[in-house]
Amino acid sequence: MGGCFSKPKPGPDNLHPTVLKELAEEFSAPLRLIFNKSWNTEDVPEDWTKAEASMSVYKKSKRNSLVEVKIEVVLPEKERAKEEMSPNGKASPIVYKANGTSRHYQLEEHPIAMNPYRNLKDVVEASVCHVKDLDNGQMREVDLGCGKALLVKENGEFYALGHKCPHYGAPLVKGVLSKGRVRCPWHGACFNIGTGDIEDFPGLDSLPKFQVKIEKEKVYIRASKQALQTQRRTKVMAKCISLSNYNISSTNVLIIGAGPAGLVCAETLRQEGFSDRIVMCTMDRHLPYDRPKLSKSMDCHPDQIALRPKEFFRMYDIEVLTEMQVVAVDIKNKTAVFKDGFKMEYNKLLLATGSTPKTLSCKGKEAENVFNICTVEDANRVVKLATSKNAVIVGASFLGMEVAAYLTEKAHSVSVVELEEVPFKKFFGEKVGRAILKMFENNRVKFYMQTEVSELREQDGKLKEVVLKSGKILRADVCVIGIGASPATGFLKQSGINMDSKGFIVVNKMMQTNFPGIFAAGDAVAFPLALRNNKKVNIPHWQMAHMQGRIAALNMLAHGTEISTVPYLWTAMFGKSIRYTGHGEGFDDVVIQGDIDELKFVAFYTKNDEVIAVASVNYDPIVSKVADVMGAGRAIRKRDVETGDMSWLTGKGS
């Protein structure tokens, strides 16, 4: 995949003023670019009253008169000589350094967004409210006739953007507005209200941003009909302009692993203007996909859960090598060695290999219908084998419990075997664990707690029974193992890369290993968590992998960006979503507000009288609000949550 393609050459006549402004910000010190264009004032956004320092200042004239917009961005002489060399010794065609960041651009190749309002038939403008209808800090979902937008008022200014989170479509009006960004109420993704850009994860796309104007005390929104329908915007990205400099066995950036960390790393590089070769490799047979759905929507098709379509990778020259396993990394020679003997040289390396599921050690573990859910094919096969049959789940982990919940409507019987007394005791605490246990039992799931599997009995190579150490024998037509995972880092043991006693790759705040140019992200890393005084922790969350991939990419480009995100996760079982933020390891008490028996509650996990994590069911957007508070560095005391008065945490929305 990937490769270089011919591209249209955008010129000044195709550019909208907002695009010019974005270019000025993006090309803060680079190539000499001069665009001159006259615009009607109605084409110029209301809030653009002067340009950034890198642009000529202009003033808006009266309506229907013309505005002169001029951009001049100059590459300093001393920077022109600083060309970053490719692994094979050839220099990239055009390289500049901006604020310490290596970037690669070619004027006619740089992917410039077209004027979003160029097609007047695609434009809708509507009055949506009176200026006094919204107070500062409020949000409102407004209808423009052919689609809805989110209207936000903060610090006296109005902003309009997409109203649905691009991740899973959550209504952002029910989220949390704080300090110039809105946080999704479901999974915690954050979007800048001024630009629509995604600033925290999960998800890949940003929100479309719409023009706002005030006339006669009324608020008007001007928007693209198409954007109102899609409710998402993919950031502008560069493409590869230097593949001719490389042979098949060398790349500038090699990403080992094609999960969210690897994909976000590749996309961030392209968004930042990086236009050298990027290669991702994965042991999977598919392009990157939404892995959490393997246990939540088990009969899904790969195309249904793909994070990006094939065309995306071709368009932005992100090459993906599927079914390719790296077995060694030669740090000295900057070379990755694959299982089939193929070798690839790299300049920068990201290790995003994720984890490997743990297996049972008992007799019969190799039976044909015993599964770890690792791939789409695994999930599909389990559903087929379990339909109207007997399913046994070993391990009341997130994966195990989600699989059990999904199979209840498919299987004749579902049984869960767990070593602990209650599910999730170490993570959610005993009270929440028992509430979850009750919910499962009410849905016909049978639990066998405080016991282990002693044998998997098979007949003709297929599982027939699961024998427990308690002596109980369970009929089983299919068995799913969900007893945890280990970092997939065994191939790095001889590399010299620093790993802890559990095999996690140790990185700093910039996701860099002990070797310059080698970064790691995702489930396989131990990193300094700002929330816990920079204690090195492993957090195998979907959201965290996204952010770590982005931080790694920015620091490959020498941004010097440190990770500071607040962990956020979710699980869904029987139509109930449990949301969680913070890092509750070592909590010593749980303060519960609400009705836990009715599964409408919020649980505050405390340690030394400070709230370190929060979980909730049917209490949105409490978890997203707490994530914002924690992200701002504010401490939440145990006494603050014991009273039951949580007005200080509630967000505004209508």
Side-chain angles (χ1 to χ4, degrees), residues 121-426:
K121 291 182 179 180
D122 182 50
V123 176
V124 60
E125 183 173 303
S127 170
V128 294
C129 70
H130 191 276
V131 290
K132 294 182 179 179
D133 287 347
L134 262 69
D135 294 329
N136 278 323
Q138 281 194 313
M139 301 184 288
R140 174 176 291 185
E141 207 172 79
V142 294
D143 197 333
L144 278 72
C146 56
K148 294 181 179 180
L150 182 69
L151 182 65
V152 179
K153 187 177 182 181
E154 189 169 70
N155 298 324
E157 297 289 335
F158 286 90
Y159 305 87
L161 50 160
H163 73 103
K164 287 184 178 180
C165 178
H167 180 226
Y168 281 1
L172 293 175
V173 71
K174 295 183 179 181
V176 177
L177 176 64
S178 177
K179 296 183 179 179
R181 67 183 195 175
V182 59
R183 185 185 286 269
C184 172
W186 290 359
H187 308 128
C190 294
F191 303 91
N192 185 298
I193 61 173
T195 64
D197 286 351
I198 188 168
E199 294 184 345
D200 205 339
F201 302 91
L204 298 171
D205 285 327
S206 297
L207 295 172
K209 181 180 179 292
F210 310 124
Q211 291 183 1
V212 179
K213 68 177 180 180
I214 311 297
E215 280 188 5
K216 297 179 180 180
E217 300 294 292
K218 290 185 177 180
V219 180
Y220 289 82
I221 295 178
R222 190 181 194 210
S224 156
K225 294 177 184 178
Q226 183 180 5
L228 287 171
Q229 293 301 310
T230 61
Q231 290 291 320
R232 64 177 63 238
R233 171 178 58 86
T234 301
K235 286 185 178 180
V236 174
M237 298 190 200
K239 301 182 182 182
C240 184
I241 60 174
S242 57
L243 268 182
S244 59
N245 285 348
Y246 295 94
N247 58 49
I248 193 171
S249 60
S250 69
T251 182
N252 195 306
V253 173
L254 176 62
I255 299 171
I256 304 177
L263 180 57
V264 171
C265 178
E267 290 199 19
T268 301
L269 289 170
R270 289 290 187 242
Q271 290 162 8
E272 292 296 310
F274 182 80
S275 59
D276 270 336
R277 191 182 186 195
I278 299 174
V279 175
M280 300 173 65
C281 59
T282 174
M283 293 168 60
D284 210 303
R285 62 186 295 186
H286 303 293
L287 293 172
Y289 56 87
D290 195 346
R291 192 170 290 274
K293 287 190 176 179
L294 293 186
S295 53
K296 298 179 178 72
S297 182
M298 298 180 67
D299 51 4
C300 56
H301 188 273
D303 291 342
Q304 294 174 320
I305 61 173
L307 294 176
R308 295 292 195 192
K310 292 179 181 179
E311 294 72 24
F312 176 90
F313 295 93
R314 284 197 289 263
M315 179 177 293
Y316 298 110
D317 301 326
I318 298 171
E319 300 171 67
V320 185
L321 307 179
T322 57
E323 300 181 271
M324 292 286 283
Q325 181 181 359
V326 175
V327 294
V329 174
D330 182 343
I331 304 297
K332 182 178 179 181
N333 295 307
K334 290 190 172 185
T335 302
V337 182
F338 290 80
K339 188 175 182 178
D340 62 1
F342 177 67
K343 296 181 180 180
M344 178 167 281
E345 297 178 10
Y346 61 83
N347 185 27
K348 295 286 196 301
L349 176 66
L350 177 71
L351 301 167
T353 48
S355 56
T356 302
K358 294 179 180 178
T359 59
L360 296 176
S361 57
C362 64
K363 181 181 177 182
K365 64 179 181 178
E366 303 297 337
E368 183 180 319
N369 40 353
V370 177
F371 293 86
N372 292 108
I373 306 293
C374 299
T375 66
V376 176
E377 289 75 21
D378 289 340
N380 293 171
R381 183 69 175 153
V382 166
V383 173
K384 185 176 181 179
L385 290 171
T387 300
S388 301
K389 300 290 185 177
N390 303 295
V392 175
I393 315 300
V394 181
S397 59
F398 282 104
L399 181 143
M401 295 291 275
E402 288 171 0
V403 168
Y406 188 83
L407 292 180
T408 52
E409 293 186 359
K410 308 281 187 181
H412 172 71
S413 70
V414 178
S415 303
V416 176
V417 180
E418 169 58 38
L419 187 59
E420 296 291 332
E421 183 182 359
V422 295
F424 302 122
K425 183 178 180 179
K426 292 181 180 179

